[in-house]
Amino acid sequence: MNDVHFLVHSGIGRITLNRPRALNSLNHDMVLAMLERLEAWRSDPAVRAVLIDGAGDRGLCAGGDIRAIYDDARTGGTASLRFWADEYRLNALISRYPKPYLALMDGLVMGGGVGVSAHGSHRIVTERSRIGMPETGIGFVPDVGGTYLLSRAPGELGTHVALTAGSISGPDAIHCGLADHFVSSERVPDLLDALASRTPDNALELFAEAAPPSVLAKDADWIDQCYAADTVEEILTRLHAGGDAAATAAKEIEAKSPTALKVTLRALRSAAALPDLEAVLAQEFRISTHALSSAEFVEGIRAQIIDKDRSPKWSPATLPEVADKLVDAYFADLGDAEWNGVAR
């Protein structure tokens, strides 16, 4: 299909997301095609490793097709639920793929782009990498296993990334456990050539280098102290009293959906105690299902993506107005609609 290309050459099954004008954002057909091809390549002796990259020079993937989700949410549809169910199956399959799965996380890697890369076995970043989970800015909550990854980052760094919805560098991603190897962008073509005759580990030994220092690692002291609080309100109180960098983070958080912030914090704390990625994906599916029917999600996409006025009218408008009962609803059991893992 035109939106995603598949090629097998010299033992490498290459997946190239091919929507450069849309920053390679994922649609349902792309996800289904990737699921089918990865399943076929599992037992294909001609494929010894898989590589995923993005067409164009702007990045791997900017996430899901948010406009399609917006249209679905506005009309009360359910197509997004089917998309998420299959997308999460893809994330789970990648996480336990029996062959090396290399993700070239060059340029922008956001939302769903994290889901098709950061669960792989060999995750490669460059000096151009900008990686993030921007969901709280659109009234949503990190998904595609994002709460699994961020809840397992050192200290409270993952909480900081999730609540601010900011992007992080390649070195930050390595420090947080979202990536493994740093390769200069100018050496990526040489790495790809080497994969034709070498194992992924041997090729990376040739071209990976020590990553520059992580900015997040340097800020860990104030981040850990501020974000260890049990509520978003207390986190903000600590941030405002924590110095210039902390106060800047507080302002970023205060612009986000109060409901999404509270749901995200609970999701992160819960994900940290869940046993594996699939259990976290099941929780994220419950949250996503509820979010699809919420006015909050529609308003967030309208303000940031559709009208681009950057002035969302959140409801509830403040953190104290977000009742525990409202947050609880995002985690409610879905009955027969529960996400059922990788089995189709």
Side-chain angles (χ1 to χ4, degrees):
M1 59 179 294
N2 291 333
D3 287 347
V4 56
H5 291 169
F6 302 99
L7 174 69
V8 176
H9 179 69
S10 300
I12 304 298
R14 187 167 179 174
I15 302 170
T16 300
L17 307 181
N18 188 43
R19 299 183 70 203
R21 294 181 63 183
L23 286 170
N24 299 320
S25 59
L26 297 169
N27 58 42
H28 200 172
D29 285 343
M30 293 167 71
V31 167
L32 291 173
M34 292 170 67
L35 274 168
E36 180 180 9
R37 194 60 59 102
L38 285 172
E39 287 289 358
W41 282 348
R42 287 170 67 116
S43 56
D44 187 343
V47 176
R48 54 186 173 83
V50 172
L51 169 75
I52 185 169
D53 63 356
D57 59 2
R58 298 174 67 188
L60 171 64
C61 175
D65 189 340
I66 202 69
R67 287 180 178 269
I69 295 172
Y70 174 75
D71 291 339
D72 192 37
R74 281 184 52 186
T75 59
T78 60
S80 297
L81 299 181
R82 296 190 293 275
F83 166 68
W84 284 325
D86 287 322
E87 184 181 27
Y88 299 176
R89 290 188 184 99
L90 177 61
N91 304 148
L93 175 60
I94 290 168
S95 76
R96 63 188 199 186
Y97 205 64
K99 298 178 179 181
Y101 182 100
L102 293 82
L104 184 55
M105 302 169 73
D106 186 34
L108 286 174
V109 185
M110 300 289 170
V114 174
V116 297
S117 59
H119 299 301
S121 60
H122 296 68
R123 305 163 299 178
I124 303 154
V125 291
T126 75
E127 77 283 355
R128 295 168 9 102
S129 297
R130 300 303 304 176
I131 299 160
M133 301 297 295
E135 286 79 5
T136 57
I138 56 170
F140 198 49
V141 176
D143 68 333
V144 297
T147 59
Y148 176 87
L149 294 164
L150 294 176
S151 68
R152 286 155 175 79
E156 294 293 335
L157 298 183
T159 309
H160 170 70
V161 172
L163 295 186
T164 60
S167 61
I168 61 175
S169 68
D172 289 335
I174 291 174
H175 181 73
C176 288
L178 276 69
D180 308 297
H181 305 281
F182 185 90
V183 177
S184 172
S185 60
E186 65 182 13
R187 304 193 79 186
V188 167
D190 295 328
L191 171 65
L192 299 182
D193 288 342
L195 287 171
S197 58
R198 296 175 179 269
T199 68
D201 288 336
N202 288 341
L204 284 163
E205 284 179 5
L206 288 176
F207 297 104
E209 57 192 83
S214 163
V215 173
L216 279 182
K218 294 179 180 178
D219 290 340
D221 286 347
W222 68 260
I223 288 175
D224 290 350
Q225 193 279 325
C226 293
Y227 289 93
D230 293 330
T231 66
V232 180
E233 291 92 332
E234 177 59 24
I235 287 172
L236 288 170
T237 296
R238 295 184 185 187
L239 287 171
H240 278 298
D244 291 345
T248 297
K251 291 180 181 179
E252 292 172 354
I253 293 171
E254 287 167 342
K256 307 302 186 288
S257 159
T259 301
L261 290 171
K262 286 200 169 184
V263 175
T264 295
L265 184 62
R266 185 183 295 187
L268 287 168
R269 301 297 193 245
S270 176
L274 291 173
D276 53 34
L277 174 62
E278 288 204 23
V280 175
L281 287 168
Q283 174 175 272
E284 291 178 351
F285 188 72
R286 295 184 199 109
I287 295 169
S288 298
T289 299
H290 189 89
L292 185 66
S293 62
S294 72
E296 199 82 341
F297 190 25
V298 172
E299 172 62 10
I301 300 174
R302 180 207 64 76
Q304 302 297 335
I305 308 297
I306 306 301
D307 296 337
K308 298 182 180 179
D309 59 28
R310 308 292 191 265
S311 298
K313 304 297 188 292
W314 303 124
S315 180
T318 66
L319 287 165
E321 294 177 272
V322 181
D324 290 344
K325 184 177 181 180
L326 175 59
V327 177
D328 292 342
Y330 279 79
F331 295 83
D333 188 282
L334 298 174
D336 291 342
E338 282 283 308
W339 183 78
N340 62 352
V342 294
R344 290 183 56 78

